[in-house]
Amino acid sequence: QPVEATDDAFWDQFWADTATSVQDVFALVPAAEIRAVREESPSNLATLCYKAVEKLVQGAESGCHTEKERQIVLNCCRLLTRILPYIFEDPDWRGFFWSTVPGAGRGGGDEDDENARPLAESLLLAVADLLFCPDFTVQSHRRSTVDTAEDIHSIDSCEYIWEAGVGFAHSPQPNYIHDLNRTELLKLLLTCFSEAMYLPPSSDSSNANPWVQFFCSAENRHALPLFTSLLNVVCAYDPVGYGIPYNHLLFSDYREPLVEEAAQVLIVTLDYDSSTSSSPTVDGTTTGTAMDDVDPPGPDNLFVNYLSRIHREEDFQFILKGVARLLSNPLVQTYLPNSAKKIQFHQELLVLFWKLCDFNKKFLFFVLKSSDVLDILVPILYFLNDARADQSRVGLMHIGVFILLLLSGERNFGVRLNKPYSVRVPMDIPVFTGTHADLLIIVFHKIITSGHQRLQPLFDCLLTIVVNVSPYLKSLSMVAANKLLHLLEAFSTTWFLFSAIQNHHLVFFLLEVFNNIIQYQFDGNSNLVYAVIRKRNVFHQLANLPTDSQSIQKGLQRKKKTPEPISRTNSQDGVSMEGSRPAAPAEPGTLKTSLVATPGIDKLTEKSQVSEDGTMRSLEPESSQPPLEGNPPSAVSDGEPWTGEASHHRRDQRRLSSASSSGQWTPTPDWVMSWKSKLPLQTIMRLLQVLVPQVEKICIDKGLTDESEILRFLQHGTLVGLLPVPHPILIRKYQANSGTAMWFRTYMWGVIYLRNVDPPIWYDTDVKLFEIQRV
C-alpha cells in the first residue's frame, strides 16, 4: 500500500535501528523486494529515497553531534547504497534523482529557493559536507564544550584534509572510527557515480556522467579539500605499516578499505576524455601544455583541473613514491611467506598513474627525469608476466602495455632503461645479467610466445615500445638479443606472413629495432651483432621471400601440417629466476568483465621524428597527403604499408589481396610484392656483407669455436663509413583519442564491479557497460 510521506513512525524504522552494518542492510533488503516495490508501489520507493536523502541533508546541516544522528546518517547511507543500482537499471527511474521533489522545503522562509535543487544534487552536497564533519569523519579542532561545537557552515574544510601530502603538511591523528565512516560515505558516492555502468558503451563523449559532473563542479565547495584528501590518503598509505611481520594478521587495518575506496572514487571522478578537449598548442601538437607558459583554462571538472595543475617537485615526489611503493607491494619478497600485507588494488593504481601522466605533462616529465620510473616499470613487467596466461586479466595486460607505450614516446625512458637490473623480482623468466632494457625484452618475448590467444592484438603495441626505446639501448645481453632474433624467426616464417593481412607489420617493427641499434648503438651491442650474424639465414630468407602464387599456397599449407614450435633458442634460458612461479590461468568459475576493443596501433600513436638536437617534430599522417613518389629509401621506407593506414592505402590493400567470394581474405603475389619491396634490409645486409667474411676468417685462421673471441673481435670492430646514411629516428607517440577513453571507462568500471564483493553492490543487477562472463 502507498504510505504517506508524513507517516514518520513508518519511515523512521528504516534508519532508527542502532545495530546494523552495511552487510546487514544488504541481507535484510533483498533484490527481489526492491524490484517488487519499484514495479508495484513506485510512490513508496520514491518516498523512501527522498526521506533517506532528507535525513542525510539534516545530518549535514546539524553536524551530526549525537551518536543517534550519526547512526541515522550511516543507516541512510547504507540503504541508498543498496537501492541506487536498482534505480539506475530501470530507464524509467533513471531521471528520478534529477527531478525536484515538490514541497521539499516545507517550513517556508528562506528555504523556498532550495526547492529547486534536484534530489541528486542535495544528496551529493550532503555527502560532501558529511565527509568533513568534525568528530564524525574528521578530528575536531575545538577542545571546548559541546555548546560551542563547530558550525558545519563556517568551517574551512581545507583545514581538515585527511592526510598530509600534496598541498597539506599536517598529518592528523589516525582514528579508525573516522576511517570507517569515510569509507561508508565514499561507497555511497561511488554508487551514485555508477549510473555509467547501466548505459551501453558509446564513444560519444558528450554523455558525461551527470553525477560526476555536478560533484566535481564549483557547486561543491569541498571539491579541492576532497580531491586532496583522496589523493593524499592513497599516496601516503604504507601497507607494511610498522614493519612488524604478520601485524596484519593480529589487528585489522582500517586504512586499507578507505584507501581502496578513495582510489576508486578518484579514478571515476577523473574519467574525462582529454582527446576532445585539448586545444592545439603552439607547435601544432595537441598534447596539452607540456612546455607552454600559459595554462589554458582547464576543464569544468575541478578534479581533472586540480590534477593537471599540480606542479611542485615535492608533490610529484610524494605521488610517485607512493604509487611506486603500492605497486611494488605484491612483489615484496620476504623470507616469511604472507608476512607482509598484500594489497589488491593495483589495477586502480595503474589507472590513477595513467590519468596523472595523461592529464599532467609536467608529472610525466618528472617521472622520466629520475630513475624512479624504473620503480614503476618493474612492477608493471611483473604484472604483465604474471597475468599473461590468465584470460580474466586481459584488461590488466592492456593497461600495463598502454602505460609503457605512453612512457616509451619520451627519449628519457629509453635512456633510463640502460640502468643495470639488480633487484631480483621473482618471475619465471630466464636468469640474465643486464639492464632494465633486457628485462623488458625478455618479458615481452615471454608474453608473445606463451601468452594466450586474446593477447595477439597487443603484439603491435609491445613491438612499438621496443622500437621506441631501441635507439637508446647501449648494450643488450646475449639472452635478450637471442629473444629478439627468435621473435623475428617466428614472425618471418612464410605461413605466418601469409596467414593474415597485417602479420608482416611485426617483421617491419623488428627490422626497425635492429636498424636503430646498429645505426645508433653499434659500439656496445656486440651481443646483438653476433646474434644477427649467427641467424643470418633468417634475413636472407626474408630478402628472397617467394612471391609467386604456388609458393604462397605452399607456405600456407606448411602451417596446417606442423605449427612452428616455439623453441628454446639457448640452453641457458631453461633456468628461471629463483622464487618464481609460472603464470597460471584463471581458476574455473572466475568472473570477468568484457572490454570494448582497443584502437589499432595506427590510431593509438602518431609519428614524431627526432631531430639532431633531440627535439621531436610531429610528422604529417600519411592520410592527408598522397604518398611521396621516390621516397629516399632510408627515410620512412618501412612506413607506408601500415603507419597511417590511410584510406587510399586500404583500397590498394583490397585490390592487391583478392577477397574470395566467401569474404575470406587470401594473399596474392601483388600483395606480397607491395610490402616485400619495402622491407628495410639494406643496413643489415651491408653489415653481414662486411662482417661475416671477417668472422669466418678468424674462425678458420685460429681454428676457433669459442664465442668469446668472436665477441671480443666484434667489440673492437667498427662499421663507420660502411653502413648506409643513418635513417632519422622515428618515435610513435601515444595520442589521446575517444576510443581509448571509452576503453578506460569500461575497464575501470569492470574492475570496480568485480572488486566490490563485500557488500556486492552491483552484483546481479542489469549492467549494460560490459558483460559479465565466467571463465
Side-chain angles (χ1 to χ4, degrees), residues 612-650:
E612 258 60 313
D613 56 358
T615 54
M616 300 232 186
R617 154 179 103 68
S618 178
L619 291 183
E620 278 298 296
E622 277 91 65
S623 49
S624 57
Q625 52 184 41
L628 300 171
E629 290 306 321
N631 224 357
S634 64
V636 203
S637 62
D638 62 326
E640 288 80 18
W642 45 278
T643 43
E645 280 295 10
S647 47
H648 60 255
H649 212 95
R650 286 221 186 85

Side-chain angles (χ1 to χ4, degrees), residues 116 173 233 369 457 535 556 624 630:
Q173 268 309 111
V233 156
K369 200 171 64 182
K535 291 280 185 187
L556 286 169
S624 57

Side-chain angles (χ1 to χ4, degrees), residues 206-248:
S206 61
N207 58 3
N209 185 330
W211 295 83
V212 172
Q213 232 174 343
F214 178 79
F215 191 75
C216 299
S217 72
E219 293 264 355
N220 177 1
R221 70 187 182 101
H222 303 291
L224 177 60
L226 192 63
F227 168 75
T228 314
S229 296
L230 294 172
L231 185 63
N232 291 355
V233 156
V234 172
C235 295
Y237 178 55
D238 184 357
V240 180
Y242 300 105
I244 321 161
Y246 298 108
N247 64 356
H248 64 288

